[in-house]
Amino acid sequence: MLGILEEGLREAMASTPQILYCVAAGNSDSDVEFDVSIPANFDLDNMIVVGAVDQAGERTSFTSMGENVVVYANGFEVESYVPGGGRQAANGTSMASPNAANLAIKLITVDPELSTSEVISLIEDGADQLEGAGGLKLLNPAESMALLLARQQSSR
């Protein structure tokens, strides 16, 4: 059953190249490809996988990683709404991936003609490469937006 689910989801996501999927890496502190973390282990051009860092910008102890994890964002003690309207701090890559989705929609708002691969490139190229963090790239919305605006300026 898992194989059928995995293949069906992969085909559905691949068949919608105009949709950008911002996917949580998972919270098992493992490699998403080795652990077969669905859909984070998929290799799709229209998907970006996001891991979690804490407020200091360091990889959390729970976040999954691997080659598919393109960027990291805050996923530690993120204020979240709970049923009934209350708020509580929550941890996880599900708290981190909306940061990438938020940035993606801002980039698309500025340039609605962007393809999903262009959005992913802007997010990845704008990310801060952290020293001594094993290739960890921290989401940097201001830099990604600056790259888009510079690109627009040079094409005029």
Side-chain angles (χ1 to χ4, degrees):
M1 283 304 274
L2 185 59
I4 293 169
L5 170 68
E6 179 180 2
E7 191 54 36
L9 183 58
R10 182 190 319 267
E11 286 179 22
M13 291 172 71
S15 71
T16 54
Q18 73 283 10
I19 296 174
L20 176 62
Y21 295 93
C22 295
V23 176
N27 303 319
S28 60
D29 186 30
S30 60
D31 186 300
V32 296
E33 291 89 48
F34 179 78
D35 233 13
V36 188
S37 180
I38 300 169
N41 68 314
F42 295 172
D43 186 18
L44 299 173
D45 293 336
N46 59 331
M47 182 180 82
I48 185 168
V49 181
V50 184
V53 293
D54 60 21
Q55 291 90 338
E58 296 179 1
R59 195 173 73 78
T60 62
S61 61
F62 56 81
T63 189
S64 294
M65 64 288 225
E67 287 185 31
N68 275 14
V69 182
V70 175
V71 293
Y72 289 77
N74 183 29
F76 185 74
E77 295 186 4
V78 176
E79 186 174 321
S80 305
Y81 286 96
V82 295
R87 296 180 187 183
Q88 72 179 34
N91 300 324
T93 57
S94 292
M95 303 293 113
S97 59
N99 290 294
N102 184 13
L103 174 54
I105 197 61
K106 288 176 180 174
L107 295 168
I108 292 167
T109 299
V110 171
D111 185 352
E113 300 300 316
L114 288 172
S115 69
T116 54
S117 60
E118 289 172 321
V119 173
I120 292 169
S121 292
L122 286 165
I123 291 172
E124 187 173 4
D125 294 346
D128 294 330
Q129 182 80 42
L130 298 183
E131 300 275 333
L136 187 143
K137 290 184 174 184
L138 185 60
L139 195 72
N140 184 335
E143 184 60 26
S144 292
M145 187 61 71
L147 290 171
L148 174 59
L149 296 174
R151 185 173 106 171
Q152 287 180 326
Q153 195 69 4
S154 69
S155 68
R156 290 183 183 176

